[in-house]
């Protein structure tokens, strides 16, 4: 039967590339949030290499990269933290600031562990995030020192340098939290405690 | 029983182990460094920019808060210029004399065969046992992996271990994984120099495998022996201590690096040299 002009005509379905690229408001905010996280991490990583590398305590300088990765993981849900820890540790390694590929495993496992613990037992906030990140930071530096001793890359007398790095990195955590918390608020809460 | 982690989290953990193992194997077997180049390609312009900002900020601070000191420094510099102008007047005669000495000694003639590329340090990266500098010159300026970085006065800074188009990374002599064949100038005894982190002398160098009858005096100069990588007679450091190693068979010497790494700003990459002569 022939169609009449008054028959219902459905809107054409978008099949072009522009319609496929359409994003919801929430998706755009999520991309903006992670873009800001990325830029902030890169700028702080460079600031560490250029400005903070000469600031020594007991012979050790601050390790902002690890502080940032662990703090952001503590502020995210478990799955996001796992992916971020993996990607962040890879970038940290490829920036040539990390001591070896084993940091990928160490940071990913610690990031997942702290996110799982915090999500299970604590509410997201300043105290819980800084506490979890701080504990993992101490564990990371202790493991790194242990690996260094085991591989004979360092010696027991260098303990104070590792302590200096740990203390400075711990001090950086509460200072970094407001920055990452502000970025984390973009797009609203993505999950409910 | 409820599972602790979702499949996605488990997959990420497995992936982390696989990536780490793969990178450990790849780093030991090949020289593949594409991911490093990509990340450095992003970081190097940022480092250069921040370095420039830092320099400007220091200049501004000096201008604002160290005016009187700058005036005094300016006066001192004027005096130095006057002295240098005086020196320059006698330079021609000294230069001719120096030219004759060069022909006699052949030492500096060898250095004339050097081809250098200068670069500024844009970041210093050091973990406990690594010491790496990033310099703002790369393959586009003729720099390549395996070239030696020195100071303007011919002191060894380190070895280029990675070169991108606009940057290179120099592993310094302080790095305990870098070994240089070296000679004590006064006695002619040879040994291997490496960074002292793993031997309890951080910030210093250690010269190993010296013969037990070697005569080692404090403040003696230690220079490169010359190899396919390092030219001869580049200054590495000065002896500050010596003794027998753990075996009691061979001696070692502790060296103070010739380069002051805290104040080092500019390096020269040796792109060509000749050990002949």
């Amino acid at each position: 039967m022939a169609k009449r002009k008054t028959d219902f005509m459905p809107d054409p379905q978008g099949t072009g590339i522009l319609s496929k690229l359409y994003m919801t408001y929430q998706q755009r905010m999520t991309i903006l949030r992670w873009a800001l996280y990325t830029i902030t991490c890169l700028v702080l990583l460079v600031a560490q290499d250029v400005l903070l590398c000469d600031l020594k305590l007991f012979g050790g300088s601050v390790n902002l990269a690890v502080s940032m990765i662990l703090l952001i993981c503590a502020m995210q849900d478990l799955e996001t933290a796992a992916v971020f820890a993996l990607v962040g540790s890879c970038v940290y390694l490829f920036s040539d600031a990390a001591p070896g590929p084993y940091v990928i495993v160490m940071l990913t496992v610690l990031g997942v562990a702290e996110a799982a613990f915090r999500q299970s037992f604590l509410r997201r906030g300043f105290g819980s995030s800084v506490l979890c990140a701080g504990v993992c930071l101490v564990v990371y530096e202790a493991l790194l020192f242990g690996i260094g001793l085991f591989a004979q890359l360092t010696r027991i007398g260098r303990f104070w340098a590792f302590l200096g790095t740990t203390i400075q990195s711990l001090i950086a955590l509460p200072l970094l939290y407001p920055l990452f918390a502000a970025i984390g608020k973009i797009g609203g809460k993505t999950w409910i405690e | 029983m409820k599972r602790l982690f979702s499949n996605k989290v488990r997959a990420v953990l497995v992936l982390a182990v696989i990536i780490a193992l793969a990178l450990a194997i790849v780093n030991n077997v090949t020289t593949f460094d594409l991911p490093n180049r990509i990340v450095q390609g992003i970081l190097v312009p940022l480092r250069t920019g921040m370095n420039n900002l830092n320099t400007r900020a220091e200049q501004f601070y000096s201008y604002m808060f160290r005016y009187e000191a700058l005036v005094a420094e300016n006066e001192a510099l004027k005096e130095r210029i006057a002295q240098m102008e005086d020196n320059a007047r006698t330079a021609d005669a000294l230069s001719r004399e120096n030219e004759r000495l060069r022909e006699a000694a052949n030492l500096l003639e060898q250095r004339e065969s050097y081809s250098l590329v200068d670069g500024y340090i844009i970041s210093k990266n050091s973990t406990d046992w690594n010491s790496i500098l990033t310099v703002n010159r790369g393959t586009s300026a003729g720099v390549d992996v395996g070239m030696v970085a020195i100071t303007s006065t011919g002191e060894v800074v380190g070895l280029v271990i990675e070169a991108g188009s606009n940057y290179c990374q120099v592993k310094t002599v302080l790095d305990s994984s870098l070994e240089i064949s070296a000679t004590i100038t006064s006695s002619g005894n040879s040994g291997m120099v490496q960074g002292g982190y793993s031997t309890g002398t951080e910030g210093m160098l250690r010269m190993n495998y010296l013969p037990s009858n070697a005569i080692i005096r404090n403040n003696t100069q230690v220079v490169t022996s010359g190899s396919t990588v390092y030219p001869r007679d580049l200054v590495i450091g000065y002896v500050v201590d010596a003794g027998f190693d753990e075996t009691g068979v061979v001696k070692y010497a502790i060296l103070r690096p010739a380069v002051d790494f805290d104040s080092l700003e500019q390096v020269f990459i040796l792109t060509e040299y000749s050990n002949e002569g």
Side-chain angles (χ1 to χ4, degrees):
Chain A
M1 199 167 78
K3 274 193 174 183
R4 289 177 299 182
K5 282 184 181 176
T6 52
D7 282 354
F8 174 71
M9 298 288 283
D11 289 335
Q13 291 295 312
T15 52
I17 191 156
L18 285 176
S19 59
K20 283 179 182 171
L21 286 175
Y22 176 78
M23 285 183 289
T24 63
Y25 174 78
Q26 191 62 43
Q27 285 171 325
R28 286 199 296 272
M29 288 300 107
T30 304
I31 288 172
L32 175 65
R33 189 169 67 241
W34 284 104
L36 284 175
Y37 272 138
T38 308
I39 291 166
T40 309
C41 287
L42 285 174
V43 169
L44 288 173
L45 191 64
V46 170
Q48 174 189 286
D49 289 348
V50 176
L51 304 176
L52 303 174
C53 60
D54 292 328
L55 202 67
K56 304 269 186 185
L57 179 67
F58 305 135
S61 54
V62 68
N63 194 344
L64 275 186
V66 173
S67 299
M68 288 185 297
I69 291 170
L70 293 174
L71 186 60
I72 292 174
C73 284
M75 296 164 73
Q76 304 299 322
D77 65 296
L78 183 54
E79 291 188 352
T80 312
V83 175
F84 178 77
L86 177 63
V87 175
S89 56
C90 285
V91 173
Y92 175 46
L93 177 71
F94 296 138
S95 73
D96 289 331
Y102 50 85
V103 296
I104 293 177
V105 178
M106 284 165 62
L107 284 176
T108 308
V109 169
L110 286 172
V112 167
E114 69 170 330
F117 178 82
R118 197 202 56 75
Q119 196 172 335
S120 303
F121 301 108
L122 300 168
R123 282 190 172 278
R124 181 160 53 176
F126 175 82
S128 60
S129 301
V130 171
L131 179 73
C132 291
V135 169
C136 285
L137 186 69
V138 173
V139 172
Y140 171 84
E141 289 293 343
L143 280 172
L144 196 64
F145 186 52
I147 290 168
L149 282 179
F150 179 74
Q152 295 186 326
L153 292 166
T154 191
R155 58 191 176 80
I156 198 79
R158 292 291 293 165
F159 169 78
W160 295 108
F162 277 87
L163 188 66
T165 299
T166 309
I167 290 171
Q168 289 187 80
S169 305
L170 284 172
I171 291 169
L173 289 174
L175 302 177
L176 291 173
Y177 180 84
L179 183 63
F180 291 134
I183 295 171
K185 283 176 184 167
I186 294 171
K189 290 188 176 181
T190 53
W191 58 286
I192 298 165
E193 299 267 316
Chain B
M1 193 179 102
K2 193 182 174 185
R3 288 194 307 188
L4 186 59
F5 297 133
S6 67
N7 285 338
K8 191 176 171 184
V9 175
R10 287 178 177 193
V12 169
L13 290 171
V14 171
L15 195 60
V17 175
I18 292 170
I19 290 173
L21 283 174
L23 285 172
I25 294 166
V26 166
N27 286 347
N28 282 321
V29 177
T30 70
T31 55
F32 176 76
D33 61 352
L34 182 64
N36 297 58
R37 281 167 186 267
I38 292 169
V39 174
Q40 292 296 344
I42 297 166
L43 290 179
V44 164
L46 285 172
R47 281 174 179 156
T48 308
M50 193 166 281
N51 216 27
N52 288 340
L53 275 177
N54 187 33
T55 309
R56 292 281 167 86
E58 280 177 0
Q59 286 170 349
F60 182 71
Y61 178 84
S62 296
Y63 178 75
M64 293 296 287
F65 301 106
R66 291 183 57 234
Y67 184 75
E68 286 178 8
L70 283 172
V71 169
E73 193 179 353
N74 192 28
E75 289 299 320
L77 286 171
K78 277 180 181 171
E79 278 180 28
R80 277 188 67 185
I81 287 170
Q83 195 180 352
M84 285 169 81
E85 281 173 347
D86 187 40
N87 289 343
R89 281 191 284 276
T90 57
D92 285 341
L94 287 171
S95 180
R96 285 194 295 276
E97 185 186 347
N98 192 29
E99 190 62 36
R100 287 194 296 274
L101 288 171
R102 280 186 190 191
E103 286 169 6
N106 267 342
L107 180 64
L108 292 178
E109 204 172 76
Q110 172 198 324
R111 296 201 173 191
E112 282 179 355
S113 69
Y114 289 1
S115 186
L116 300 168
V117 171
D118 70 314
Y120 282 90
I121 295 166
I122 54 174
S123 79
K124 296 175 182 175
N125 226 327
S126 63
T127 62
D128 195 49
W129 49 87
N130 291 335
S131 177
I132 293 171
L133 309 173
T134 306
V135 177
N136 67 345
R137 285 285 184 272
T139 50
S140 56
V143 176
D144 209 347
V145 173
M147 289 178 174
V148 181
I150 59 175
T151 63
S152 57
T153 49
E155 295 148 344
V156 185
V157 175
L159 192 68
V160 176
I161 56 162
E162 189 180 317
S165 63
N166 60 347
Y167 79 95
C168 68
Q169 294 207 309
V170 177
K171 186 177 274 192
T172 73
V173 289
L174 295 176
D175 196 298
S176 48
S177 65
L178 195 69
E179 288 192 329
I180 306 171
S181 176
T183 306
I184 298 175
T185 49
S186 63
S187 63
N189 293 121
S190 294
M192 296 298 285
V193 172
Q194 68 174 133
Y197 270 133
S198 56
T199 54
T201 52
E202 55 271 10
M204 295 287 186
L205 309 170
R206 180 170 159 139
M207 188 174 189
N208 295 314
Y209 313 125
L210 288 165
S212 58
N213 61 352
I215 298 165
I216 307 164
R217 294 192 181 91
N218 272 356
N219 288 324
T220 311
Q221 200 176 52
V222 175
V223 298
T224 50
S225 303
S227 66
T228 52
V229 177
Y230 299 93
R232 268 201 320 237
D233 296 332
L234 294 175
V235 184
I236 299 174
Y238 299 90
V239 175
V240 292
D241 195 10
F244 280 94
D245 75 354
E246 298 78 13
T247 64
V249 180
V250 290
K251 278 185 174 177
Y252 71 89
I254 302 298
L255 315 180
R256 173 172 48 82
V259 179
D260 180 7
F261 284 96
D262 289 333
S263 60
L264 187 65
E265 291 179 343
Q266 189 179 19
V267 296
F268 295 82
I269 313 290
L270 204 52
T271 53
E272 268 181 56
Y273 73 92
S274 167
N275 265 336
E276 290 170 10

